[in-house]
Structure formats: structure tokens, C-alpha cells
Amino acid sequence: GAVVSQHPSWVICKSGTSVKIECRSLDFQATTMFWYRQFPKQSLMLMATSNEGSKATYEQGVEKDKFLINHASLTLSTLTVTSAHPEDSSFYICSARVQGLAGGGGTDTQYFGPGTRLTVL
Amino acid sequence: GQQLNQSPQSMFIQEGEDVSMNCTSSSIFNTWLWYKQDPGEGPVLLIALYKAGELTSNGRLTAQFGITRKDSFLNISASIPSDVGIYFCAGRNTGTASKLTFGTGTRLQVTL
């Protein structure tokens, strides 16, 4: 259980084009999903929190107009990189939150997708 | 954003050896998590720690939540080749919408 998929697994695009990445929770519903970016040999950096039915919350320094997030259903969140440039080339990883039995989020678990490798030429 | 510092940054060990790595933070976390990431994949949760001082095992893995809440360590006993990968710690506080702050990572290489 608790499987998260991402599509596509890799994408190459030309500079200036937009790319959409999908994140799906396959066997559970997730009101909250997260999007991370990981540059080579670096750690995961949280970009934004995606909430079903409401606007995403972006971390400081992340351009919300460039990285469009839509969480239209309890099993799907999408990240669109608009007008992509070579510096946007990275590994994009999503995660889906499973709420723990205890309140307050202390025992919540995040399950991660396999990632999407974006290369912008 | 804030990052947790992990040490060592990388390590080469022989199969069968025990491994120890740690993670430190300048601020307190209420939950500590340890993940493993294989190349080209997303992180996979290994162990979750919810109480200061807690010691938890998962097979050959043992992790502890530091009493100060500012650190955690992970031990791997009798390492095997499939232990190769990058190990990340992550901290979380309640009331932060379950957001995780990841460590800098420890790259583990196991030689035969």
C-alpha cells in the first residue's frame, strides 16, 4: 500500500516551453501533497505544499507563477514548469501525506514518488 | 531554507561492517525520520522517531531520537551491498502542515 507514482519519469524539452508533471496516490487519498526539487548531489528542497481544493503554499524563493500547482482531486496533483529554462533542469519529486492516527500531524507519513528528471535544452 | 547537517558526507565500508551516521540541527524537531534514496528514485522511509530519547529498530537498522531534540543517529549493522545509496534524515514539527526539512545526506558505498 501507499504507492505514489509520477509521470513522466523523465522529460527533455526546449527552453521556453512548459512541462507538466503528474503525481498520483495510487491506493490512498491524499489531501496534501508536496513538491520537492533535487539538484545533482544535493538534498531535497521543498518547493510547495499542494492542498486539494485550495491554492498551493509556496516556500520562500519559489516563484508561484513559474511553478504552477493544481491539486484537483484527492489522488492527483500536477506541477507545471512554465517557460522552462536550463536552470530549471532538476529532479522533481512529489510526496503524498498519510495522516497518522494521532492528531496534530505528529505521526503523519509522507510517501514519495519515484521522481521526474527534467532536462531543459 | 534550513537544512540539517549530516555526517559523514560519504563513506566507503566493507561488506559486513557496521555503519553509523548522524544528523544535527540548530533547532528542535518533534519528529525525526530517516530515508534512503537509490539513484534516480524517490526516498523510501526507513525509520520514524516520535519521542526524544526513543530508540527504534527496523531489521539491521537502529535509529535514535536525541534527547535535546536537535539530533538523531542511524546505525546499520552488518552492511550488505544493497545498503548502497544516500541516506537522508528529515525533521518535522507539528503545526507546520507536516512539512519536512531534509538533511544534507550521507552517501554510502559498500565494497565486497
Side-chain angles (χ1 to χ4, degrees):
Chain A
V3 177
V4 177
S5 71
Q6 283 185 239
H7 178 80
S9 55
W10 59 270
V11 56
I12 302 172
C13 69
K14 291 182 179 180
S15 185
T17 62
S18 295
V19 174
K20 180 185 283 189
I21 303 170
E22 294 184 347
C23 177
R24 292 181 186 273
S25 56
L26 297 186
D27 49 2
F28 65 100
Q29 294 182 331
T31 55
T32 304
M33 292 183 176
F34 301 90
W35 287 97
Y36 296 83
R37 182 167 50 183
Q38 185 179 32
F39 291 108
K41 297 189 176 181
Q42 293 190 21
S43 186
L44 284 77
M45 296 299 292
L46 179 65
M47 298 175 66
T49 303
S50 172
N51 300 299
E52 188 268 335
S54 65
K55 290 183 179 180
T57 305
Y58 291 82
E59 295 300 300
Q60 192 172 9
V62 178
E63 301 174 59
K64 62 180 181 180
D65 294 330
K66 180 168 182 63
F67 298 99
L68 300 179
I69 291 173
N70 184 281
H71 195 152
S73 78
L74 289 172
T75 59
L76 174 65
S77 175
T78 60
L79 168 69
T80 300
V81 183
T82 62
S83 186
H85 290 285
E87 58 266 29
D88 298 323
S89 299
S90 188
F91 194 50
Y92 292 86
I93 309 173
C94 72
S95 70
R97 183 182 78 160
V98 174
Q99 290 182 276
L101 295 178
T107 54
D108 289 357
T109 301
Q110 284 189 33
Y111 293 94
F112 286 81
T116 297
R117 172 80 56 197
L118 170 63
T119 302
V120 185
L121 302 176
Chain B
Q2 179 190 15
Q3 274 196 339
L4 307 178
N5 293 313
Q6 286 185 241
S7 65
Q9 189 174 17
S10 65
M11 54 197 316
F12 287 81
I13 62 168
Q14 287 196 323
E15 183 178 6
E17 287 184 346
D18 296 344
V19 174
S20 184
M21 59 189 79
N22 68 358
C23 181
T24 59
S25 170
S26 57
S27 57
I28 290 172
F29 287 100
N30 293 329
T31 301
W32 283 89
L33 305 157
W34 284 92
Y35 288 87
K36 178 176 182 271
Q37 185 180 29
D38 291 329
E41 298 287 335
V44 174
L45 180 65
L46 300 174
I47 291 181
L49 303 158
Y50 301 110
K51 287 183 181 179
E54 179 182 355
L55 184 71
T56 298
S57 293
N58 178 9
R60 293 179 296 107
L61 308 177
T62 301
Q64 183 156 32
F65 189 148
I67 292 194
T68 65
R69 296 189 184 179
K70 292 183 178 181
D71 61 347
S72 176
F73 73 74
L74 174 70
N75 286 342
I76 304 173
S77 62
S79 58
I80 59 178
S82 61
D83 290 334
V84 166
I86 304 176
Y87 291 80
F88 289 103
C89 63
R92 182 179 65 213
N93 282 321
T94 54
T96 58
S98 297
K99 291 198 295 186
L100 297 178
T101 300
F102 275 85
T104 48
T106 293
R107 184 179 298 269
L108 178 64
Q109 284 278 69
V110 179
T111 57
L112 298 175

